[in-house]
């Protein structure tokens, strides 16, 4: 029981307890005393009398301990227990001593480390304070010098007043060591206090400085102040430490800008420019140097050079072959080909249940259309619809190159035509399987067997003729045979086992490209491998860009396009060429490098083609073209493929006398620059499915430039042919009207020699042309000076009559010569 609180003590009874008071503190200042008892450890010790020898030769401790030890334990057992107890006590005391020694060593090591850390921190703090004090002193001296200079300048500008003369005497001298809280007259701290901080805050712009304009001088940046403090700290610590030189592998192309070279070496641009000037090259950071000079500079700075070629930029394009395990089935790409007006687009409309023909100018396809169709069985098919006109040869070739299956459409009432043969050749050149669709079988005059027979002439043997090419009789109007055609396509695609890897960087072919007024350059791309996603950075031909949007064939925006999916891609920096390959790269820098390299290579190729012509060849070409008349034109079209087809058609117009020269062809609306070029060359501007903008129309009206609009390529080709035919000179045809034989030659005074002739055939006319033949060789051609019958001048003499003839400015005539009489007539010519 405790005397303080009258309660029972905590703990157990007995065993020699030791009590103690514990004071407990609670919230709100309340306390409580608790009595705690601790129980001592009981240690068994032998009594001193137990070791005395017993009488009668008994063992020590046997008699004395016999009364207290447990029954049944012998003296030897008791003694053994006592020895074990003593050994255990010794071990315990040794272990306790060892623990105490280890604890002391740990405490000493901890104290020693703490003292070392405090000493090191104290030294560093003292060094920083010394450096800061030195920097403060230098800054203070600079400010004092600047203030003195300002005061001297002010004193020199104005006479000192009485107050100014007495001020230096009243002003207390500054102490050399700046105090912490010392402040000037303007309220700013001048020492190491808050107002100055040793120049540490000199680079920060405060609100008061911004409103008052600061101190009127240039402030140091925080980076400059940090560098200054770092230099001061290193100087105080025993000198600046030299950084280890990092040797880099520097890639150097054939030509590189100085600033880019410095960036790749991680050196200052000024140091690189200085090194170049030391080598005798006065260049700036924006000028280019060749690879040899760059190698010299790189070695001078201690780096390793890696020479690369310009074409190495294209190595970033992933050209790794896909593994068989990564390949997944993809939809087939089917191209509809055939002669114009054989029903290609109508057949595709029947499959799509759409109406595209109604939207085509003149009812003919003039662009490559790309569509996806899902059949009743769930199969997805990608269709390409190519034009059938003769001018669109390159379009059909592109369609055959990117396709898996060619559907050759032949009209049953028209059979095989020129563009049908051309489509067969394209399919064979591309080595793709062919399916023959015999269209218009609903017409009464349809003859499918005639089509099959004529295809044999071009090595296309259909299954009905025991061949391996599938043929289906269809009708786009009635829907006959469409299911059989789709089954044939599905069967052919199963045989081909078409697969592609969708989990890689996308690669595709540009089917068509155009310049849209609202969307900019737009390319219709058929993805061939990988998946094209929104946000991908790509390069296509000489252009590059980032996918801003993807639009499918139904005009819907999609986030990605897998293999065999045609989409419109927005986000190009220019209009690519139809047929270019689209590749996705990792960064915009890589895409820009590849596009610039390709553009440079194309320019060099064109320049090399022009430079290969010698002066003699140019003179010969000019002499050859001296008599050739040219019809210059400018062509602007809605899509790249149409512009290409028109240019190719224009090159075929003409002959050895007249030809059409395309000064410029492009995609997009007719602009003011096009009108300026047309005016300078005297050429008309041809717009194919495009119109001139308002400034271009006004400029054309002022300058008298003709603008012609077309939507059907037939009309365009016919009009250009007619215009070129107008440049042809009229054809001169000779009509032989008679022959006369010289019987006698007379010499008449004032006239000269006159031939007495007999008209042997036809008629001789005064206005006709004549040739003098001697031994059937023409020795003179000219006109008659006179034609007389007897003594009268006549206009003509009939066959069998005699007459007199005299030649204009020619008198070498003999008996027996034959005079050939003819008339010339002019016939207008046309280009076929």
């Amino acid at each position: 029981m405790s005397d303080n609180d009258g309660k029972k003590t905590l703990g157990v009874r007995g065993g020699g307890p030791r009590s103690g008071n514990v004071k407990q503190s609670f919230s709100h200042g309340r306390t409580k005393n608790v009595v705690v008892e601790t129980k001592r450890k009981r240690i068994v010790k032998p009594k001193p009398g137990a070791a005395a020898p017993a009488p009668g030769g008994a063992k020590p401790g046997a008699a004395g301990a016999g009364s207290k030890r447990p029954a049944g334990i012998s003296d030897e057992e008791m003694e053994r227990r006592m020895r074990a107890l003593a050994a255990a006590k010794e071990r315990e005391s040794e272990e306790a001593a060892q623990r105490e020694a280890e604890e002391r060593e740990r405490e000493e090591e901890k104290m020693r480390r703490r003292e070392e850390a405090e000493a090191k921190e104290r030294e560093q703090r003292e060094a920083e304070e010394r450096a800061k004090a030195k920097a403060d002193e230098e800054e203070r001296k600079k400010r004092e010098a600047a203030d003195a200079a300002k005061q001297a300048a002010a004193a020199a500008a104005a006479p000192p007043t009485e107050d100014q003369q007495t001020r230096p005497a009243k002003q207390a001298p500054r102490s050399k060591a700046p105090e912490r809280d010392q402040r000037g007259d303007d309220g700013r701290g001048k020492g190491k206090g808050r107002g100055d901080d040793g120049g540490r805050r000199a680079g920060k712009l405060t609100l008061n400085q911004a409103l008052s304009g600061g101190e009127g001088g240039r402030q140091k940046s925080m980076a400059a102040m940090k560098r200054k403090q770092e230099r001061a700290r290193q100087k105080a610590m025993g000198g600046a430490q030299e950084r280890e030189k990092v040797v880099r592998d520097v890639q150097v192309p054939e030509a590189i800008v100085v600033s880019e070279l410095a960036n790749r070496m991680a050196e200052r641009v000024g140091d690189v420019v200085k090194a170049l000037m030391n080598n005798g090259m006065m260049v700036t950071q924006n000028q280019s140097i060749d690879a040899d000079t760059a190698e010299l500079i790189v070695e001078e700075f201690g780096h390793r050079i890696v020479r690369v070629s310009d074409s190495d930029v294209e190595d970033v394009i992933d050209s790794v072959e896909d593994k068989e395990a990564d390949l997944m089935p993809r939809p087939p790409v089917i191209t509809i080909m055939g002669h114009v007006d054989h029903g290609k687009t109508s057949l595709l409309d029947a499959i799509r249940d759409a109406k595209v023909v109604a939207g085509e100018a003149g009812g003919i396809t003039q662009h490559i259309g790309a569509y996806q169709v899902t059949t009743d069985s769930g199969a997805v098919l990608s269709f390409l619809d190519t034009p059938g006109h003769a001018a669109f040869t390159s379009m059909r070739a592109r369609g055959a190159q990117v396709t898996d299956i060619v559907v050759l459409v032949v009209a049953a009432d028209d059979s095989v035509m020129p563009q049908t043969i051309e489509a067969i050749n394209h399919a064979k050149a591309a080595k793709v399987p062919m399916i023959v669709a015999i269209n218009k079988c609903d017409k009464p005059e349809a003859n499918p067997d005639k089509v099959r027979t004529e295809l044999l002439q071009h090595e296309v043997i259909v299954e009905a003729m025991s061949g391996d090419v599938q043929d289906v009789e269809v009708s786009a109007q009635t829907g006959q045979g469409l299911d059989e055609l789709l089954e044939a396509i599905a069967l052919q695609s199963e045989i081909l086992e078409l697969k592609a890897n969708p989990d890689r960087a996308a690669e595709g072919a540009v089917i068509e490209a155009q310049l849209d007024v609202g969307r900019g350059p737009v390319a219709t791309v058929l993805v061939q491998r990988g998946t094209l996603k929104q946000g991908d950075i790509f390069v296509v031909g000489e252009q590059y860009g980032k996918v801003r949007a993807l639009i499918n064939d139904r005009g819907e925006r999609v986030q990605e396009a897998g293999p065999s999916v045609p989409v419109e891609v927005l986000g190009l920096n220019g209009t690519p060429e139809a047929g270019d390959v689209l590749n996705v790269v990792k960064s915009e820098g890589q895409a820009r490098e590849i596009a610039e390299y390709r553009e440079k290579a194309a320019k060099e190729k064109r320049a090399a083609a022009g430079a290969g012509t010698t002066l003699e060849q140019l003179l010969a070409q000019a002499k050859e073209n001296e008599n050739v008349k040219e019809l210059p034109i400018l062509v602007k079209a809605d899509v790249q493929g149409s512009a290409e087809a028109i240019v190719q058609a224009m090159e075929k117009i003409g002959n050895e006398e007249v030809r059409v020269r395309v000064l410029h062809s492009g995609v997009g609306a007719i602009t003011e620059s096009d009108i300026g070029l047309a005016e300078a060359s005297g050429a008309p501007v041809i717009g194919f499915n495009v119109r001139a903008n308002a400034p271009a129309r006004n400029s054309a009206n002022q300058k008298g430039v003709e603008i012609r609009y077309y939507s059907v390529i037939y009309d365009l080709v016919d009009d250009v042919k007619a215009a070129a035919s107008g440049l042809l000179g009229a054809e001169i045809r000779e009509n032989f009207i008679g022959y006369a034989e010289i019987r006698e030659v007379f010499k008449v005074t004032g006239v000269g020699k006159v031939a007495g002739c007999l008209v042997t055939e036809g008629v001789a006319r005064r206005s006709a042309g004549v040739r003098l033949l001697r031994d059937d060789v023409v020795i003179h051609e000219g006109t008659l000076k006179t034609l007389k019958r007897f003594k009268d001048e006549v206009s003509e003499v009939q066959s069998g009559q005699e007459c007199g003839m005299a030649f204009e400015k020619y008198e070498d005539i003999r008996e027996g010569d034959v005079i050939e009489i003819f008339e010339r007539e002019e016939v207008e010519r046309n280009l076929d």
Side-chain angles (χ1 to χ4, degrees):
M1 300 284 295
S2 174
D3 297 331
N4 295 333
D5 52 8
K7 294 182 180 180
K8 293 183 179 180
T9 60
L10 300 175
V12 293
R13 294 178 179 273
R18 291 183 297 174
S19 62
N21 291 336
V22 176
K23 187 175 182 181
Q24 292 181 324
S25 298
F26 300 96
S27 61
H28 304 291
R30 294 184 292 112
T31 58
K32 181 180 179 182
N33 289 331
V34 180
V35 178
V36 179
E37 290 188 355
T38 58
K39 185 177 180 181
R40 292 181 179 178
K41 187 175 181 180
R42 185 174 182 180
I43 301 174
V44 180
K45 293 184 179 180
K47 292 185 177 181
K59 291 185 178 180
S67 59
K68 291 186 178 180
R69 68 186 175 196
I73 297 178
S74 62
D75 293 336
E76 292 83 10
E77 181 68 22
M78 191 66 188
E79 187 176 0
R80 198 160 49 246
R81 289 189 178 184
M82 295 299 294
R83 283 199 301 270
L85 185 63
K89 287 180 64 179
E90 278 187 83
R91 281 197 305 275
E92 186 177 352
S93 62
E94 288 175 1
E95 289 174 359
Q98 187 175 0
R99 280 197 301 273
E100 290 177 358
E102 290 175 355
E103 189 69 22
R104 283 197 303 273
E105 288 180 1
R106 280 197 295 271
E107 287 293 326
E108 290 174 359
E109 180 67 19
K110 189 183 294 184
M111 290 295 295
R112 184 179 62 79
R113 289 182 179 177
R114 186 183 295 116
E115 289 174 357
E116 288 179 357
E118 290 177 354
K120 188 174 181 180
E121 186 177 356
R122 189 166 53 252
E123 289 176 0
Q124 185 174 0
R125 193 165 54 247
E126 290 174 356
E128 289 179 354
E129 289 177 356
R130 288 196 299 270
K132 187 182 292 186
K134 188 173 180 181
D136 294 343
E137 183 67 18
E138 291 177 357
E139 190 69 19
R140 187 182 61 78
K141 288 181 180 179
K142 288 181 182 178
R143 278 200 304 273
E144 288 179 356
D147 293 342
K150 289 180 181 178
Q151 291 177 2
T161 61
E162 184 180 354
D163 189 28
Q164 289 174 339
Q165 291 175 356
T166 58
R167 187 179 296 173
K170 295 178 182 179
Q171 191 176 9
R174 295 179 182 269
S175 60
K176 290 185 179 180
E179 298 179 3
R180 184 166 296 275
D181 293 327
Q182 181 180 359
R183 297 181 180 275
D185 295 337
D186 57 352
R188 296 189 182 94
K190 297 296 183 182
K192 289 174 63 178
R194 184 174 174 181
D196 189 18
D197 287 344
R200 181 171 61 87
R201 294 176 60 87
K204 291 186 177 179
L205 182 67
T206 63
L207 184 60
N208 292 331
Q209 290 176 352
L211 294 175
S212 62
E215 298 179 356
R218 183 179 177 184
Q219 299 290 335
K220 287 188 177 181
S221 65
M222 286 299 295
M225 299 303 298
K226 287 180 180 178
R227 289 196 298 269
K228 184 177 180 181
Q229 290 180 5
E230 179 69 17
R231 288 194 297 270
R233 189 181 68 79
Q234 288 181 354
K235 188 175 181 180
M237 293 293 289
Q241 297 179 356
E242 289 291 334
R243 292 183 179 179
E244 185 179 355
K245 178 73 174 179
V246 178
V247 180
R248 291 177 170 82
D249 293 331
V250 183
Q251 292 187 350
V252 178
E254 298 298 326
I256 187 171
V257 180
V258 175
S259 58
E260 178 63 21
L261 179 63
N263 187 25
R264 294 186 182 187
M265 292 192 299
E267 303 286 352
R268 292 177 179 170
V269 179
D271 296 341
V272 178
V273 173
K274 186 177 179 181
L276 286 166
M277 289 183 176
N278 291 336
N279 285 280
M281 290 191 66
M282 302 301 167
V283 296
T284 63
Q285 63 176 358
N286 297 323
Q287 289 179 322
S288 297
I289 57 175
D290 58 7
D292 296 333
T293 307
E295 181 177 2
L296 182 67
I297 297 302
V298 169
E299 292 176 352
E300 186 174 332
F301 278 88
H303 300 291
R304 292 185 294 268
I305 187 168
V306 180
R307 296 287 287 267
V308 296
S309 175
D310 285 347
S311 60
D312 292 344
V313 296
E314 296 200 17
D315 292 344
V316 299
I317 296 176
D318 188 11
S319 58
V320 180
E321 291 296 327
D322 297 321
K323 297 180 181 178
E324 189 67 28
D326 299 333
L327 298 179
M328 302 287 290
R330 65 171 178 85
V333 179
I334 304 104
T335 299
I336 309 292
M337 302 178 75
H339 191 71
V340 64
D341 202 26
H342 273 204
K344 299 181 295 298
T345 308
S346 301
L347 184 63
L348 184 57
D349 292 347
I351 297 174
R352 298 177 62 219
D353 291 330
K355 297 295 179 186
V356 180
V357 170
E360 294 284 0
I364 63 169
T365 300
Q366 304 184 110
H367 310 132
I368 288 186
Y371 314 100
Q372 270 201 324
V373 175
T374 303
T375 62
D376 295 336
S377 60
V380 179
L381 307 176
S382 296
F383 282 95
L384 300 181
D385 184 16
T386 62
H389 190 266
F392 296 98
T393 302
S394 55
M395 282 195 185
R396 283 190 293 278
R398 274 198 300 278
Q401 288 168 2
V402 299
T403 192
D404 302 315
I405 301 169
V406 168
V407 174
L408 182 66
V409 179
V410 186
D413 62 340
D414 200 12
S415 193
V416 177
M417 299 299 285
Q419 271 64 60
T420 311
I421 301 169
E422 184 188 310
I424 293 171
N425 295 332
H426 286 318
K428 288 182 178 179
K431 297 180 180 178
V432 292
M434 193 185 312
I435 298 174
V436 178
I438 305 175
N439 196 17
K440 301 185 181 180
C441 289
D442 57 322
K443 289 192 173 185
E445 61 271 20
N447 188 357
D449 292 333
K450 180 184 176 185
V451 174
R452 296 186 180 98
T453 307
E454 291 191 2
L455 286 173
L456 292 174
Q457 302 175 9
H458 306 286
E459 299 178 0
V460 177
I461 308 172
V462 298
E463 290 180 345
M465 298 285 184
S466 303
D468 55 355
V469 177
Q470 299 182 75
D471 66 309
V472 183
E473 296 182 9
V474 296
S475 172
Q477 299 296 326
T478 63
Q480 170 193 343
L482 294 182
D483 293 336
E484 290 84 350
L485 178 61
L486 292 177
E487 287 178 5
I489 293 172
L491 176 61
Q492 188 66 57
S493 62
E494 286 179 8
I495 295 172
L496 294 175
E497 294 182 353
L498 303 170
K499 292 182 179 180
N501 181 13
D503 302 323
R504 57 164 289 165
E507 179 181 324
V510 176
I511 302 299
E512 194 56 271
Q514 62 182 341
L515 184 64
D516 194 287
V517 177
R519 301 182 296 173
V522 180
T524 302
V525 177
L526 179 69
V527 181
Q528 294 172 311
R529 292 194 294 177
T531 302
L532 185 63
K533 303 175 183 176
Q534 187 171 342
D536 283 348
I537 296 169
F538 62 89
V539 59
V540 49
E542 300 175 22
Q543 312 298 333
Y544 70 97
K546 184 177 182 180
V547 179
R548 198 171 71 235
L550 295 173
I551 300 172
N552 63 10
D553 59 315
R554 292 180 295 276
E556 303 168 350
R557 294 188 68 158
V558 294
Q559 295 297 318
E560 60 182 28
S564 301
V565 178
V567 286
E568 282 188 340
V569 179
L570 279 68
L572 293 112
N573 69 328
T575 307
E577 296 287 335
D580 287 341
V581 178
L582 181 142
N583 294 101
V584 172
V585 294
K586 295 180 180 178
S587 66
E588 189 174 350
Q590 291 179 349
R592 188 187 301 108
E593 281 186 0
I594 295 171
E596 288 175 353
Y597 163 70
R598 290 177 177 175
E599 185 178 3
K600 180 182 175 183
K603 285 183 179 178
E604 289 178 353
K605 188 176 181 180
R606 290 192 293 267
T613 307
T614 62
L615 181 59
E616 289 78 6
Q617 290 173 334
L618 286 173
L619 291 174
Q621 186 177 1
K623 189 174 181 180
E624 181 182 344
N625 297 336
E626 185 178 2
N627 297 323
V628 178
K629 296 181 181 179
E630 287 186 344
L631 173 63
I633 60 172
L634 267 80
V635 176
K636 294 300 286 288
D638 55 342
V639 294
Q640 191 73 40
S642 297
E644 182 184 5
I646 292 169
V647 171
Q648 291 176 355
M650 294 301 104
E651 290 175 352
K652 296 176 182 177
I653 297 175
N655 53 21
E656 66 277 1
E657 298 180 37
V658 175
R659 65 184 175 194
V660 178
R661 181 184 176 195
V662 180
L663 297 176
H664 171 69
S665 66
V667 176
I670 300 171
T671 61
E672 203 169 355
S673 60
D674 298 329
I675 302 299
L677 178 58
E679 184 208 11
S681 55
V685 180
I686 294 177
F688 187 77
N689 286 333
V690 294
R691 294 294 181 267
N693 53 29
R697 287 197 301 271
N698 296 335
S699 178
N701 292 332
Q702 292 173 3
K703 297 175 181 177
V705 175
E706 183 184 10
I707 301 177
R708 313 240 1 212
Y709 299 122
Y710 296 93
S711 57
V712 180
I713 198 168
Y714 289 127
D715 303 335
L716 190 154
V717 174
D718 293 342
D719 284 2
V720 173
K721 274 186 179 180
S725 299
L727 297 177
L728 284 173
E731 182 180 357
I732 306 298
R733 292 183 181 176
E734 291 185 356
N735 296 322
F736 297 98
I737 59 174
Y739 286 96
E741 183 181 346
I742 298 178
R743 297 292 178 90
E744 194 173 350
V745 178
F746 304 97
K747 193 166 186 179
V748 179
T749 306
V751 177
K753 289 185 178 181
V754 177
C757 306
L758 174 65
V759 180
T760 58
E761 184 180 342
V763 63
R765 287 198 181 99
R766 171 79 174 78
S767 59
V770 290
R771 292 190 186 95
L772 185 63
L773 306 180
R774 186 174 296 163
D775 298 330
D776 294 328
V777 176
V778 177
I779 60 174
H780 174 69
E781 180 179 339
T783 58
L784 291 176
K785 182 168 62 173
T786 180
L787 177 63
K788 289 187 176 183
R789 173 121 171 100
F790 300 110
K791 292 185 179 181
D792 300 326
E793 192 79 26
V794 293
S795 60
E796 67 178 27
V797 178
Q798 296 295 327
S799 175
Q801 297 178 351
E802 293 182 348
C803 63
M805 294 183 189
F807 292 90
E808 189 78 38
K809 297 180 182 179
Y810 189 79
E811 293 187 352
D812 183 16
I813 53 177
R814 301 177 188 175
E815 292 182 10
D817 291 346
V818 176
I819 299 173
E820 184 181 72
I821 308 155
F822 61 91
E823 287 182 343
R824 292 188 177 95
E825 68 171 328
E826 294 184 355
V827 180
E828 289 188 3
R829 300 164 60 195
N830 293 316
L831 287 171
D832 295 332

